[in-house]
């Protein structure tokens, strides 16, 4: 079986689409995957925080927002929430 590798842009677009569709489990998984490969992806950390908030995992959300703040202390989204 041939596995097709999606680009970072495609994966980001998928994460956003899952969130827009309120498919929070899939949004969280896609953003976690992005962060595994690109640990400095601040936007993925913000999106993961939102997805985890929607799933009721407030500790996980806070951790995601803190990760975003570690790379950018002026991150408006993470500072408002995290």
């Amino acid at each position: 079986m041939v596995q097709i590798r999606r680009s970072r842009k495609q994966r980001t677009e998928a994460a956003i689409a899952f969130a827009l569709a309120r498919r929070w489990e899939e949004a969280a998984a896609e953003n976690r995957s992005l962060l595994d490969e690109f640990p400095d992806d601040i936007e993925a950390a913000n999106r993961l925080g939102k997805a985890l908030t929607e799933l009721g995992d407030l500790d996980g959300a806070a951790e995601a927002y803190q990760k975003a703040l570690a790379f950018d202390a002026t991150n408006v989204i993470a500072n408002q929430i995290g």
Side-chain angles (χ1 to χ4, degrees):
M1 179 177 184
V2 175
Q3 185 172 3
I4 298 173
R5 183 154 168 84
R6 297 177 300 146
S7 71
R8 183 177 185 174
K9 181 177 185 235
Q10 289 170 318
R11 292 166 63 198
T12 297
E13 289 171 352
I16 293 168
F18 287 138
L20 290 172
R22 306 182 68 75
R23 294 167 57 184
W24 300 116
E25 290 282 349
E26 292 152 303
E30 193 71 58
N31 286 301
R32 278 191 186 105
S33 174
L34 279 163
L35 286 167
D36 286 346
E37 192 168 345
F38 307 102
D40 62 343
D41 188 335
I42 295 168
E43 297 304 318
N46 284 339
R47 289 190 306 270
L48 177 58
K50 171 64 175 169
L52 293 175
T53 298
E54 293 295 333
L55 290 168
D57 180 357
L58 301 183
D59 290 338
E63 185 178 319
Y65 289 128
Q66 289 301 315
K67 183 177 185 93
L69 288 171
F71 287 102
D72 178 9
T74 65
N75 184 295
V76 175
I77 294 170
N79 270 315
Q80 289 178 346
I81 301 167

